[in-house]
Amino acid sequence: MNNQVEQAVQAFRTLLEEQIARSDAMTRSRTISDFHSAKRIVVGVCLGDGIGPIIMREAQRVIEYMLADDIKSGRIVIKKIEGLTLENREACKKAIPDDVLAEIKSCDVLIKGPTTTPKGGTLESANVALRRELDLYANVRPVSVPKEGIDWTFFRENTEGEYVLGSRGIEIDGKLAVDFKVTTDAGTKRIARAAFEYARKSGKTNVSIVTKANIMKKTDGKFSLLCHEVAKEYPEMFVDDYYIDIMTANLLNENVRSKYQVFILPNLYGDIITDEAAQIQGGVGTAGSANIGDRYAMFEAIHGSALRMVEEGLSEYANPSSILKAAAMLMRHIGYGEKADALETALSVCNDTERRLVVTGDKTGVTCGEFVDYLMEKLN
Ligand code: IPM
Ligand code: MG
């Protein structure tokens, strides 16, 4: 056992050195994409696993329809990226095979179907790897329920916290296991700034910082402190602090929940609470997710690859709403705000108000393709 402790201490030294290097790299120069003046924007399309290829077929159809003029002029290039499949990832034993990563990096933005992460084993989640490789530090997840006055935008830190060393914990056989959570100053300030900038640009005035700083004193303590420090640059904002446990309750409390607007959270809490929020909106099949960095951005549904639907022969009945919300966020990100608004309005008419055709996820509802035909009528 002494030997294992010795090895663990060595491993910890390496981890610390690597994380200090990562933090230093973050504070060096930043390349920030400017899509408004770009002559050419390459949009990568990754199908993913399970229901991914079905919902992505429809997302691509909608994007190609809405951006048709600029695709024709060559300003927008749609690039299909093959090979981000579980089979290929397992064969290469890599979360993202090298050639696929190179293709992805040749794009500016990406829209991606859900990818399967096997439980256990050593294959890392393709999502987590992409977020790290492309440095997509802001996971932005909007949730709205207009009739209840809910309009929330979650800014989840997306590259560190509990995830950054997720597969590199330490185990002493038959005794105990330790995982690590890492919070850096640079990583916290950039997510806080992204959230406050968004709040300012979109006329929001209420920002909630959500941690468990009473227990995770070092990491969440730092996170909360630095968010408040950044907040000083935004004096027009009403900023409040909550612990994650009470915030999960507050989201269910109809007397208070509509006052929240923008949330800033460390990675794992952000992961969990955004599923809860999506459920309040109507289910995880209804929410879109943006993963934003300075150079790249990736847009996806917040749900998984739903292999069970594939096994039951129900893939064609998958709900494309979540990936279409992601498509709208992508269009807004690259400067097509009006198109994004139009797509969001059409989705809301089809899903909330008119509901002439409904996707239920099984044969009691319409197929993904039929729903998108209906949606496209509303785009005209
Ligand atoms: C999400 C997902 C991912 C995460 C999984 C697929 C790794 O739950 O995007 O919320 O935990 O971040
Ligand atoms: Mg999640």
Side-chain angles (χ1 to χ4, degrees):
M1 198 176 74
N2 274 346
N3 195 16
Q4 280 191 44
V5 171
E6 211 33 64
Q7 277 176 6
V9 172
Q10 295 282 347
F12 186 55
R13 168 179 286 278
T14 310
L15 293 182
L16 271 182
E17 285 167 357
E18 284 174 15
Q19 291 306 306
I20 291 167
R22 186 176 66 79
S23 151
D24 290 346
M26 248 187 283
T27 50
R28 286 198 288 270
S29 68
R30 295 162 70 172
T31 320
I32 299 178
S33 293
D34 171 15
F35 293 115
H36 289 273
S37 57
K39 296 216 160 45
R40 185 166 173 271
I41 303 172
V42 183
V43 179
V45 175
C46 281
L47 302 185
D49 303 308
I51 59 168
I54 311 280
I55 59 173
M56 284 303 300
R57 177 190 73 205
E58 299 303 326
Q60 188 173 348
R61 174 154 77 106
V62 170
I63 293 173
E64 285 179 347
Y65 176 73
M66 297 195 80
L67 301 183
D69 292 344
D70 283 6
I71 291 174
K72 216 157 147 204
S73 78
R75 180 166 191 258
I76 299 286
V77 179
I78 306 284
K79 183 169 179 178
K80 205 149 190 175
I81 295 169
E82 311 280 349
L84 195 70
T85 59
L86 182 60
E87 296 74 30
N88 198 24
R89 288 183 290 129
E90 277 183 328
C92 303
K93 295 196 170 50
K94 283 210 142 167
I96 314 168
D98 294 341
D99 54 336
V100 178
L101 185 60
E103 284 279 285
I104 287 175
K105 285 191 168 168
S106 73
C107 303
D108 297 294
V109 292
L110 206 65
I111 181 157
K112 179 184 118 344
T115 41
T116 304
T117 309
K119 258 199 215 106
T122 52
L123 194 66
E124 191 191 20
S125 146
N127 267 32
V128 174
L130 264 178
R131 292 167 184 168
R132 184 183 58 238
E133 293 294 338
L134 306 181
D135 204 18
L136 307 174
Y137 59 86
N139 187 194
V140 186
R141 295 182 159 174
V143 162
S144 77
V145 185
K147 63 177 188 297
E148 288 187 39
I150 292 176
D151 182 10
W152 297 328
T153 309
F154 294 86
F155 278 75
R156 162 191 178 192
E157 200 294 317
N158 210 23
T159 45
E160 50 184 49
E162 304 79 355
Y163 280 64
V164 64
L165 295 173
S167 51
R168 298 179 63 192
I170 286 173
E171 203 158 350
I172 307 290
D173 292 341
K175 295 240 179 263
L176 58 85
V178 180
D179 275 321
F180 299 106
K181 167 164 172 165
V182 182
T183 299
T184 65
D185 291 39
T188 304
K189 283 187 198 155
R190 67 183 184 174
I191 185 69
R193 196 154 279 123
F196 282 109
E197 280 298 312
Y198 165 81
R200 180 172 275 173
K201 279 194 193 114
S202 53
K204 307 253 153 75
T205 51
N206 185 305
V207 179
S208 306
I209 301 163
V210 186
T211 65
K212 187 77 183 171
N214 50 341
I215 301 301
M216 303 301 287
K217 290 185 189 289
K218 289 281 178 236
T219 48
D220 286 1
K222 178 187 277 303
F223 193 91
S224 170
L225 198 84
L226 291 176
C227 286
H228 280 288
E229 205 176 295
V230 173
K232 290 189 195 137
E233 295 166 37
Y234 303 83
E236 75 275 27
M237 298 291 159
F238 175 77
V239 181
D240 218 341
D241 224 281
Y242 294 88
Y243 295 134
I244 180 68
D245 46 354
I246 191 61
M247 187 51 99
T248 56
N250 286 355
L251 292 195
L252 299 179
N253 181 345
E254 287 169 14
N255 296 323
V256 298
R257 64 183 178 185
S258 60
K259 75 173 182 199
Y260 304 122
Q261 293 179 328
V262 177
F263 301 81
I264 318 176
L265 313 96
N267 209 337
L268 184 60
Y269 311 142
D271 174 48
I272 297 167
I273 209 169
T274 50
D275 269 17
E276 185 199 14
Q279 191 61 38
I280 292 167
Q281 178 179 256
V284 292
T286 65
S289 171
N291 298 266
I292 315 255
D294 291 332
R295 164 76 184 89
Y296 297 104
M298 186 260 282
F299 299 82
E300 60 184 347
I302 90 163
H303 57 74
S305 50
L307 295 179
R308 194 170 305 146
M309 287 186 82
V310 181
E311 279 157 24
E312 290 170 8
L314 294 173
S315 324
E316 289 292 346
Y317 294 86
N319 192 343
S321 300
S322 182
I323 198 73
L324 291 172
K325 288 211 174 138
M329 292 173 91
L330 180 150
M331 291 195 287
R332 184 170 293 115
H333 185 73
I334 59 173
Y336 295 85
E338 281 175 18
K339 306 265 183 203
D341 291 346
L343 177 53
E344 279 166 358
T345 303
L347 274 166
S348 163
V349 168
C350 296
N351 280 325
D352 307 326
T353 47
E354 192 181 271
R355 294 173 61 80
R356 185 163 57 76
L357 298 179
V358 178
V359 186
T360 56
D362 59 31
K363 291 183 181 162
T364 61
V366 295
T367 63
C368 187
E370 284 162 346
F371 178 81
V372 171
D373 290 343
Y374 167 44
L375 178 93
M376 284 172 72
E377 282 170 28
K378 304 290 170 198
L379 290 174
N380 288 321

